[in-house]
Each structure stands twice: as structure tokens, then as C-alpha cells.
Amino acid sequence: MVTFASIPTTKDSSAEVTATDRLVYADQLSKLPAKLAQVATSQGFKAKPGDTLVLPSSTTGKVEVLVGLGAKSEVSLETLRKASHSYAKAVAKHQVISTKLAMAGTRLDKAASVRAVAEAIQLATYVYDARKGLAYEPSEGIERVELVTKVADAEDELAKAAKVADSVSLARDLGNEPGGNLTPEAFASVAEDIAASSGLDVEVWDKDRIQAEKLGGVLAVNQGSSYEPRLVKLSYKPENADAHVVLVGKGITFDSGGLSLKTPKGMQTMKIDMAGGAAVLATMSNLAKLGCPIAVTGIIPLTDNMTGGYAQRPGDVFTARNGKTVEVLNTDAEGRLILADGLSLASELKPDAILDIATLTGSASVALGTAYAAVMSTDAQLTARLFKSCEKTGEKMWELPLPQEYRPQLDSFVADVKNIGSGAYGGTSIAGLFLKEFVDAESWLHIDLGLSAFAESAKGIQPKGATGFAVRSLTQLLCDW
Ligand code: BES
Ligand code: MN
Ligand code: ZN
């Protein structure tokens, strides 16, 4: 657990501090004291954003870390996040650290800078070690951060930052949890605990209820599984809310592909296939504490996608919640089947907007690489709103089209639609078009996380494993609504 305290620029940091930073702009390297400049040069320190150089500790036992910020004119909130992340990694073994990063970047919004720095430091300390063995000794790490800042009400911003970072960590924990442990029932029970501690109403539908509610997509995917499905419904209703948004998150607790089986390699990371559902739960877990002004409902259909004897066969047809029949030609295109029901339920609530979020297609990352999530929407204003939030959080999302001319690819010989297209191209948009068949609302937006949800190796401020991608932007979007 990391705690933050703000320290006015006039006050000295406390005696326990053993690590401090010295901010360096790439175009002002020459302003460093001559000796330091010499060390920096000899160590190849160029002061690019994220560059750090730990200076040999002096006799005081304190270390000073040079932290690069790039060119002064180009400093952004994302620079502060990168720099904070690198600084936290460089001093990871210190318990009490001090940072002046919140004062960098003179043109930046001060409150946002404080938040960016605190979020990035807390998230840099994230580790998933819940399932290490008895011999594992957790390393001591940063416990207290003294943030030197001129912002008067910094404590407020720090409290908000901690909440947001907690949400991201929750999404990461859920994503890193093995599929054999985080069953639909286990996920639902986590959701109940979270709801109880965060002012949310929660409803969990078991298999009987799911059958009674005619969630044909959830049941079809669940046929091959030994674990029962669940559907989690969360609601946040502040007083005087004048808008209502529904979030729908894909909750496939493990995706083997079903009978259209994945390759061994393709399956290795598929415990992450509930990342959309985790993002919805994690985002909602802090809406009350952050004072989000609008009503938000979260819908998370949960099942794994397995190959048991009753598993759906390619060619099978089911009837979805909204009455449409679906021919399943590839059982590995399962996320869209459970989302179909989730989106129908969302539409029935007649909200002002529906957003769904899912690790839906590998093609999203073929198109955009793993740093971006793909966005498709029927409402340009909602897209603009989300992108504005992404600008603030630094999370990268990019729009893809929903071309009506591809819609015939989903025509089925035996049912209303089939669950895959007929060619090899445009898989992300085809999946989006499939989902659209189950949306009955003016304003809908779909986020396909692709591989942004899970990193093979740590990159920039993202850790290895589950990233918690989109939690910060969804939180921003709802709180700014
Ligand atoms: N969960 C996968 C998509 C995925 C793959 C997300 C890798 C993140 C990393 C999804 O259920 C899936 O298998 N999609 C198929 C769709 C295809 C069968 C039309 C895919 O992307 O190959
Ligand atoms: Mn799949
Ligand atoms: Zn999947």
C-alpha cells in the first residue's frame, strides 16, 4: 500500500525520505552543475521522458535520481506519467520517497498533473503475487510518497488518484487471476463484495434465472462448460442524476475457443478474456467515491468457453434475448454471443448511452498494434467524448468504421445472422456489426480491447500481464459527463 502526502514547496521533506528526484529537461542538460553534467554524459543519460539515472548515494544514505522529462516545450501529462513510472521503478526498494514531478510542465493543468504523477507512481508499484508459493518473499517497496507541489488542494487530487489507481489494480488482479480459479461464480462473488464496499446495488443471476430471462447467447457459450454461467448487474444511482449510461463488459473467464479450438499458444493468455467485465466492475467500484454525477449500470455476462460434451457445434443455432436467431459457425467467436444478450438487456433499460467493452478480436491488434484499443460507434458525439477522456488519461484508442456494406457477410442461410463474416478481412468491424444487431438505442459505442488488455512484457507504464486498460478513460468519461 502506498500513501501520498503533499508537501508545500516551502517545507523540507521529512527525515525518513531516502530518495529524491532531480528533474532534467533534455534541452537544459547544460544547466546541471558541471560535475553532474559530466556524470550524466558519461552514463549516456539524455533526459528523454522516462530516462532515469540513479546517482551513487552520498554519505547521507539518500539517493538522488536524475529524471528525464524531454524537451521543456513538449512536456505533457503523459510525460509526467512516464517519468513518474520510471522514477518509482528506479527507487522501488525505498520505503519513503519524495518527488517534485508534480511541479514539472509549467503549462499543464496543475490538478491533473498531481493526479497523473500519483496515479503513475502507485501503478508502478503494482505486482500480482497472489499465487506465489510459500518460499516467496515479497520485496519491500515504496510505502510513502511526499509530493512536492504548489497546488493548494493537492490532498483532494491525491485521494482521487489513489482511487483511480485502486480501480486499475483491481482490473489487473482480476485479469491476472487464473481461469481455473476465477470461475463465473467466483467473479460474481468478487462483484458482490466490491458492490457492498462501494455503494453499488448488485444483482447476480444464476443459470436458472439466465434461462428464465432467455439469455440464449450466454447459454449457448456455456453449453460446453462444467461451470455454471452468471450475469452480474451493478447499479450506481446518485441523487439528481440527469443521465444514465449502461456499461456492458465481456466476461469470458477462459476462452479455449470451444470446438473451434484455439492453438496451445493462442490459449495461453485467454484467462484475460474477462478484461472487459473487469474494466466495468473496476470502473464502477469508485464512482461513488469520485462523486460521479450520473447514473451508471454495469452488465457483465460470465461464462468460460469450453469443449465439454454438450458444447455448441459449428452450425448450431440459438435464439438470443432479443429474439434474433444466430447460426454459430465458429465457436471461438463467443464474446459477441454473450454480449448480444448483454446489449439487449442494456437496450431494454432505455439509457442515454450504451458502452460495451471486450477483448473481442485479435484483428483489433492486427489493425492497430497492441498499444491501442479499437472504437466503433453509432454516435459521433459519444466517440468525441470518449476520445477527449483518452486525451486526458493518455490511453490510446482509435476509431474503426462500421461499414453497412459489410453487413451482408453476416447473412445466414438458416438463421437471422451468423456469428462470423465470410472473408479474412475486417474482423473487428464485422464483430462490431454483429453486436449492432442487438443494440436498440440511439447512442452506442463499442471498445474492442484486442491485446491492449494483456502485455507479453512490460512496456512503458504498462506492466507485464493484465494492464487494466480503459479503466482510467471510462472513469474519466463518466465523472466528466
Ligand atoms: N477472445 C478472443 C479475441 C482475442 C484474441 C483477444 C487474442 C485478445 C487476444 C475472441 O473470443 C476470439 O477468439 N476471436 C476470434 C474471432 C474469430 C473466430 C472470428 C479471433 O480474433 O480470432
Ligand atoms: Mn474466442
Ligand atoms: Zn474470447
Side-chain angles (χ1 to χ4, degrees):
M1 256 280 285
V2 187
T3 61
F4 291 91
S6 71
I7 304 288
T9 49
T10 47
K11 206 175 147 224
D12 281 341
S13 58
S14 61
E16 307 94 79
V17 166
T18 57
T20 59
D21 55 5
R22 180 191 282 250
L23 312 183
V24 190
Y25 291 103
D27 44 358
Q28 295 181 2
L29 267 165
S30 58
K31 284 197 185 164
L32 282 175
K35 253 197 179 147
L36 260 187
Q38 211 180 1
V39 177
T41 317
S42 71
Q43 299 295 315
F45 175 80
K46 301 229 166 61
K48 284 185 294 208
D51 281 358
T52 54
L53 181 64
V54 180
L55 300 172
S57 72
S58 64
T59 46
T60 63
K62 298 193 186 203
V63 299
E64 189 177 38
V65 181
L66 301 189
V67 175
L69 289 170
K72 183 151 196 186
S73 59
E74 285 168 25
V75 170
S76 64
L77 290 177
E78 192 63 3
T79 310
L80 296 192
R81 284 185 202 100
K82 273 189 195 153
S84 306
H85 176 92
S86 301
Y87 174 54
K89 291 289 185 192
V91 296
K93 293 208 171 75
H94 291 257
Q95 272 84 64
V96 186
I97 69 168
S98 147
T99 178
K100 294 177 274 307
L101 273 159
M103 295 183 13
T106 45
R107 294 170 301 105
L108 300 173
D109 180 81
K110 289 288 168 234
S113 303
V114 169
R115 272 208 308 276
V117 169
E119 275 173 26
I121 292 180
Q122 184 174 331
L123 287 172
T125 68
Y126 175 84
V127 274
Y128 178 78
D129 57 9
R131 295 186 180 279
K132 293 282 191 188
L134 287 178
Y136 174 77
E137 283 173 33
S139 55
E140 282 183 77
I142 301 171
E143 283 163 11
R144 182 178 154 85
V145 183
E146 297 189 356
L147 201 91
V148 181
T149 173
K150 287 181 193 152
V151 179
D153 53 354
E155 295 293 337
D156 247 28
E157 302 301 330
L158 290 175
K160 282 186 197 161
K163 290 294 151 220
V164 175
D166 284 346
S167 284
V168 177
S169 302
L170 169 63
R172 288 178 182 176
D173 278 346
L174 290 167
N176 285 322
E177 195 69 3
N181 295 97
L182 192 70
T183 59
E185 190 186 356
F187 188 114
S189 127
V190 172
E192 284 175 321
D193 290 348
I194 299 281
S197 61
S198 46
L200 302 172
D201 286 333
V202 61
E203 222 179 271
V204 175
W205 292 0
D206 63 6
K207 188 172 180 183
D208 286 344
R209 181 74 189 268
I210 287 172
Q211 274 166 337
E213 299 284 352
K214 299 191 161 67
L215 304 189
V218 177
L219 292 166
V221 176
N222 186 249
Q223 275 173 213
S225 176
S226 300
Y227 296 119
E228 284 197 2
R230 290 287 184 271
L231 183 124
V232 169
K233 196 171 156 191
L234 300 157
S235 13
Y236 167 68
K237 275 197 212 107
E239 265 174 58
N240 306 322
D242 56 4
H244 177 209
V245 171
V246 182
L247 304 177
V248 183
K250 171 176 172 179
I252 294 291
T253 53
F254 180 75
D255 182 10
S256 74
L259 289 179
S260 310
L261 197 64
K262 287 186 182 295
T263 61
K265 179 103 181 76
M267 230 182 271
Q268 278 174 8
T269 57
M270 279 301 114
K271 65 177 183 181
I272 195 60
D273 220 15
M274 32 50 70
V280 170
L281 174 60
T283 299
M284 291 191 66
S285 72
N286 274 310
L287 293 179
K289 288 165 202 146
L290 293 170
C292 171
I294 61 165
V296 181
T297 303
I299 295 176
I300 310 168
L302 295 152
T303 175
D304 52 0
N305 184 27
M306 300 295 281
T307 58
Y310 293 109
Q312 57 179 343
R313 298 141 178 80
D316 280 359
V317 176
F318 72 86
T319 305
R321 164 81 180 185
N322 73 348
K324 288 197 183 177
T325 56
V326 180
E327 181 187 15
V328 178
L329 287 176
N330 189 321
T331 63
D332 197 12
E334 86 296 339
R336 62 197 75 182
L337 308 184
I338 68 167
L339 286 176
D341 291 336
L343 288 166
S344 301
L345 289 171
S347 303
E348 290 165 23
L349 300 174
K350 302 258 170 266
D352 298 294
I354 299 173
L355 280 92
D356 76 74
I357 174 158
T359 45
L360 206 61
T361 68
S363 323
S365 300
V366 174
L368 300 173
T370 59
Y372 284 77
V375 171
M376 286 140 275
S377 178
T378 53
D379 179 354
Q381 240 188 321
L382 180 57
T383 311
R385 246 180 176 161
L386 176 65
F387 286 175
K388 190 144 205 197
S389 306
C390 290
E391 239 170 67
K392 293 186 184 174
T393 63
E395 289 184 317
K396 294 179 183 130
M397 302 198 193
W398 204 261
E399 189 170 16
L400 293 180
L402 290 168
Q404 232 11 75
E405 63 195 288
Y406 298 170
R407 172 58 187 80
Q409 287 197 44
L410 292 171
D411 288 345
S412 163
F413 186 53
V414 300
D416 293 329
V417 279
K418 56 188 171 75
N419 77 330
I420 50 169
S422 21
Y425 304 118
T428 303
S429 289
I430 301 269
L433 285 169
F434 178 90
L435 296 181
K436 191 163 170 258
E437 294 291 315
F438 303 88
V439 176
D440 183 14
E442 291 281 305
S443 182
W444 163 65
L445 184 145
H446 161 55
I447 301 174
D448 189 339
L449 291 168
L451 282 92
S452 69
F454 198 91
E456 295 281 345
S457 55
K459 190 137 194 268
I461 65 171
Q462 301 290 23
K464 181 179 166 75
T467 59
F469 198 92
V471 170
R472 289 188 295 120
S473 300
L474 287 176
T475 304
Q476 187 84 45
L477 173 78
L478 298 168
C479 292
D480 281 355
W481 196 275

